[in-house]
Amino acid sequence: MAEADQPAANVTSTQQATETTDGFHLVIDALKLNDIDTIFGLVGIPITDLARLAQAEGMRFIGFRHEQHAGNAAAIAGFMTKKPGICLTVSAPGFLNGLTALANATTNCFPMILISGSSEREIVDLQQGDYEEMDQLNAAKPYAKAAFRVLHAEDIGIGVARAIRAAVSGRPGGVYLDLPAKLLAQTLDVVKAQQSLVKVVDAAPRQLPATESVERALNVLKSAKRPLILLGKGAAYAQADAEIRAFVEQSGVPYLPMSMAKGLLPDTHEQSASAARSFVLENADVVVLIGARLNWLLSHGKGKTWGAQPKQFVQVDISPTEIDSNVAIAAPVIGDIGSCVAALRAGVDTGFMKSNTEWTAAIAERKNKNLAKMAATLDKNPSPMNFHSALRAIRDVLKTRPDINVVNEGANTLDYARSIIDMYQPRKRFDSGTWGIMGIGMGFAIGAAVTSGKPVVAIEGDSAFGFSGMELETICRYDLPVCTIVFNNNGVYRGTDVNPTGGKDVAPTVFVKGARYDRMIEAFGGIGHHATTPEELTKALLEAIASGKPTLINAVIDEAAGTESGRLTNLNPQSAATKK
Ligand code: ADP
């Protein structure tokens, strides 16, 4: 974008000498004062100098090729750290691109702040046709937990403080902060400016549960014959890992992790009921939800998935309005997960399940049966590879590196990887989340690599990868240890559909056959591998991890292997004309 009309911010001069400072400096000072050290974004009018200045002042600025991915990186950084991730964009279209990520962050309860430059208020409000004119504040409101605009430089400190507090307190979410171009160039006396900054104290205070709620929950739990603990990504976010593990182990109650809660306890834990998921959901009589919502991912707490047995739910959540959202909750426990779980643990006898071996034995039996079935499927070596044989290779490598972050999206690639790839540490798995969306791949991978300083393996369906594939350049530019594995089966779901008219256009689900995604990364100096067998995939992945270099493995999967919509076939409206 042209910079001709940019307000000048001399990023190298010391503002102290003139005894004035400006909006640019104040935004950076306010973020730094609150220990925010990284901005994910994409420069242009009117925020280019803000990014330059952030870098000059010692912050990390990670520049993307599309704002949606910068926003996703910020959101996942927020999930990993409990501090709001920051995404910086230009006005109107840049803002709208970032808004997708902001909405996704809000939906997933990830704390992030989308900061966008905007056009002049006076012109926008009179709709006089400014450059990139848009009423961004109002556009953001329905998709954000909160939205603020700052009009005066002396309010920047308060604006940033409010944004931080809104993002991380209570149920975390996405916050929009609107910074009109004029604000950034406003000058202010240095002393007054310093005094206007706010260091947020205790941004996400502990929220202790009421004693009577804890008692009620314990009574429900103690009445159970077939109890189940269900851990959601809120439990992972809360960073109460030791307390949660102690509660699970002390009670002896079987548990199920939702996908982004995998690794809170290692997936190989003997109390994990993951391999008997359908069985426990159907047969449990008391379910303790910890940071998990009864949304579509849990069939809204009713229907066939949950069986005919009457159920009682205990729900631990920070948001009181989440309770009874889908079915009646017998015992809500409102507060932060660390405090709530500690209170529950204090009331549960050690070996609570010891007298109830029937339930645990039934789960163990089902688990062993399913694991044996899965092992037989994974042991097969079809040619070309299918999802299972490719994932077996990846699973075996990742088992040796529990510190590696895993990003996962796709339809079949997501469904299979979620159950086949074990996780061993908390907050290491990042995926399509609450919306079940595609497009988070490279943004999450970059955010996770930058935030953790650890390698990332992104397991991507070829369709899912397409949404953020250009960020390979970003990965190479910052030399990030990200290995992207594209499960290439030539299409959305699979590559075998045909155009029934016999016309020239391919079917709506089909891509270029035999595409070489590995060559895309080579264009930017990264390392490409082409893998057609599990052995080649293993070798390539081991090399990628050892090198710590940006790598892409084009994993060729049988184009007939996928199923329509993965496991979500039931969500497709049926058309008699096209369904077979
Ligand atoms: P999943 O998709 O893994 O089931 P959800 O995103 O549906 O997880 O649910 C997360 C829940 O966790 C939300 O209802 C949110 O309010 C809650 N939550 C997030 N952080 C905390 C926290 N620190 N303490 C208590 N509850 C939390």
Side-chain angles (χ1 to χ4, degrees):
M1 257 164 229
E3 300 285 310
D5 299 331
Q6 275 289 72
N10 183 347
V11 298
T12 52
S13 74
T14 61
Q15 303 295 307
Q16 303 283 350
T18 60
E19 298 196 339
T20 61
T21 186
D22 59 24
F24 286 99
H25 287 81
L26 270 170
V27 173
I28 303 304
D29 289 349
L31 294 173
K32 283 177 66 178
L33 180 66
N34 286 289
D35 304 320
I36 291 171
D37 55 17
T38 305
I39 297 176
F40 303 93
L42 205 166
V43 296
I45 294 172
I47 50 85
T48 309
D49 275 343
L50 194 58
R52 287 201 185 107
L53 182 64
Q55 189 172 58
E57 300 277 329
M59 292 184 82
R60 197 144 189 223
F61 182 84
I62 306 290
F64 284 69
R65 305 301 296 261
H66 188 288
E67 294 87 350
Q68 186 177 323
H69 312 306
N72 283 330
I76 214 62
F79 173 72
M80 294 168 80
T81 60
K82 289 180 104 175
K83 283 198 297 195
I86 306 294
C87 174
L88 181 65
T89 81
V90 301
S91 33
F95 154 80
L96 284 173
N97 288 343
L99 191 57
T100 306
L102 187 77
N104 189 51
T106 305
T107 302
N108 280 279
C109 316
F110 298 155
M112 78 169 272
I113 302 173
L114 174 67
I115 302 178
S116 297
S118 60
S119 310
E120 298 316 327
R121 278 259 40 89
E122 294 81 353
I123 304 179
V124 172
D125 289 348
L126 277 172
Q127 298 177 26
Q128 293 174 309
D130 204 0
Y131 166 75
E132 293 189 352
E133 175 183 301
M134 181 175 223
D135 184 357
Q136 295 169 198
L137 184 72
N138 279 315
K141 274 181 186 164
Y143 307 106
K145 185 179 169 195
F148 305 104
R149 174 162 49 228
V150 183
L151 290 172
H152 303 291
E154 58 266 36
D155 292 332
I156 287 173
I158 286 291
V160 169
R162 279 177 76 59
I164 292 172
R165 204 173 273 285
V168 298
S169 62
R171 171 182 278 180
V175 176
Y176 176 58
L177 189 60
D178 191 85
L179 303 182
K182 247 193 214 167
L183 168 86
L184 296 168
Q186 278 176 27
T187 55
L188 196 67
D189 171 81
V190 165
V191 176
K192 249 172 94 181
Q194 284 306 318
Q195 287 167 350
S196 73
L197 294 178
V198 178
K199 176 142 176 90
V200 177
V201 177
D202 198 9
R206 282 198 307 147
Q207 294 187 28
L208 305 184
T211 321
E212 59 274 21
S213 323
V214 174
E215 265 169 32
R216 189 185 301 117
L218 285 169
N219 286 338
V220 172
L221 181 58
K222 285 173 186 168
S223 73
K225 295 214 160 39
R226 297 177 304 282
L228 175 69
I229 293 170
L230 223 157
L231 302 172
K233 62 175 151 357
Y237 173 80
Q239 297 192 16
D241 311 336
E243 200 54 67
I244 289 170
R245 183 169 185 153
F247 173 59
V248 171
E249 290 182 340
Q250 183 176 314
S251 68
V253 172
Y255 75 94
L256 261 187
M258 298 299 285
S259 66
M260 280 180 62
K262 275 163 71 75
L264 252 176
L265 289 88
D267 278 335
T268 46
H269 197 283
E270 64 162 350
Q271 283 173 254
S272 167
S274 289
R277 190 175 193 273
S278 318
F279 178 78
V280 290
L281 290 181
E282 203 178 319
N283 292 292
D285 61 353
V286 168
V287 180
V288 183
L289 299 160
I290 303 181
R293 285 172 285 185
L294 284 174
N295 54 20
W296 71 283
L297 289 161
L298 286 168
S299 308
H300 304 282
K302 52 198 171 196
K304 224 168 73 191
T305 308
W306 292 90
Q309 305 271 5
K311 310 247 180 259
Q312 283 195 293
F313 289 98
V314 173
Q315 185 160 21
V316 176
D317 206 290
I318 202 143
S319 170
T321 52
E322 184 56 41
I323 308 304
D324 301 332
S325 60
N326 284 271
V327 294
I329 300 296
V333 183
I334 302 304
D336 71 275
I337 281 167
S339 304
C340 294
V341 172
L344 290 174
R345 179 161 82 96
V348 174
D349 302 333
T350 308
F352 161 69
M353 288 298 291
K354 284 226 174 81
S355 56
N356 188 356
T357 50
E358 209 179 305
W359 175 230
T360 45
I363 296 171
E365 193 191 322
R366 183 60 71 107
K367 231 173 106 168
N368 292 337
K369 206 173 100 191
N370 289 346
L371 286 172
K373 219 164 98 187
M374 179 59 99
T377 311
L378 289 174
D379 275 348
K380 288 187 190 138
N381 238 341
S383 179
M385 283 191 286
N386 64 8
F387 289 94
H388 289 90
S389 61
L391 285 165
R392 180 194 69 217
I394 299 170
R395 178 200 65 180
D396 291 346
V397 173
L398 291 182
K399 206 188 286 181
T400 65
R401 284 295 302 269
D403 60 320
I404 286 182
N405 299 289
V406 174
V407 170
N408 187 200
E409 62 174 337
N412 295 280
T413 308
L414 177 75
D415 290 338
Y416 292 125
R418 187 176 46 224
S419 52
I420 293 169
I421 307 289
D422 285 333
M423 302 305 297
Y424 304 89
Q425 294 178 9
R427 294 172 298 284
K428 292 283 182 189
R429 190 191 146 85
F430 315 110
D431 65 26
S432 304
T434 303
W435 267 342
I437 47 152
M438 305 294 125
I440 48 84
M442 298 300 99
F444 277 11
I446 293 166
V450 167
T451 306
S452 68
K454 298 265 184 198
V456 176
V457 171
I459 307 171
E460 300 274 309
D462 50 355
S463 163
F465 171 71
F467 290 82
S468 63
M470 190 62 200
E471 301 299 342
L472 287 180
E473 190 275 330
T474 310
I475 291 171
C476 291
R477 189 166 10 111
Y478 292 99
D479 195 23
L480 297 172
V482 174
C483 174
T484 305
I485 306 173
V486 178
F487 275 48
N488 186 355
N489 66 350
N490 295 342
V492 184
Y493 312 131
R494 58 179 177 258
T496 49
D497 284 6
V498 288
N499 179 343
T501 70
K504 187 168 168 286
D505 291 344
V506 298
T509 54
V510 167
F511 293 152
V512 166
K513 299 226 185 247
R516 291 292 300 267
Y517 293 101
D518 49 317
R519 292 188 181 149
M520 281 176 69
I521 200 165
E522 288 171 359
F524 307 115
I527 301 166
H529 291 275
H530 182 63
T532 57
T533 63
E535 293 70 33
E536 285 173 4
L537 181 50
T538 304
K539 186 166 169 288
L541 182 55
L542 284 169
E543 266 178 47
I545 293 170
S547 74
K549 289 283 168 202
T551 305
L552 189 143
I553 306 173
N554 182 50
V556 179
I557 305 290
D558 183 354
E559 67 172 1
T563 52
E564 175 102 5
S565 308
R567 286 191 198 143
L568 303 181
T569 310
N570 61 318
L571 297 182
N572 274 331
Q574 295 292 305
S575 152
T578 56
K579 296 283 157 195
K580 295 201 191 95

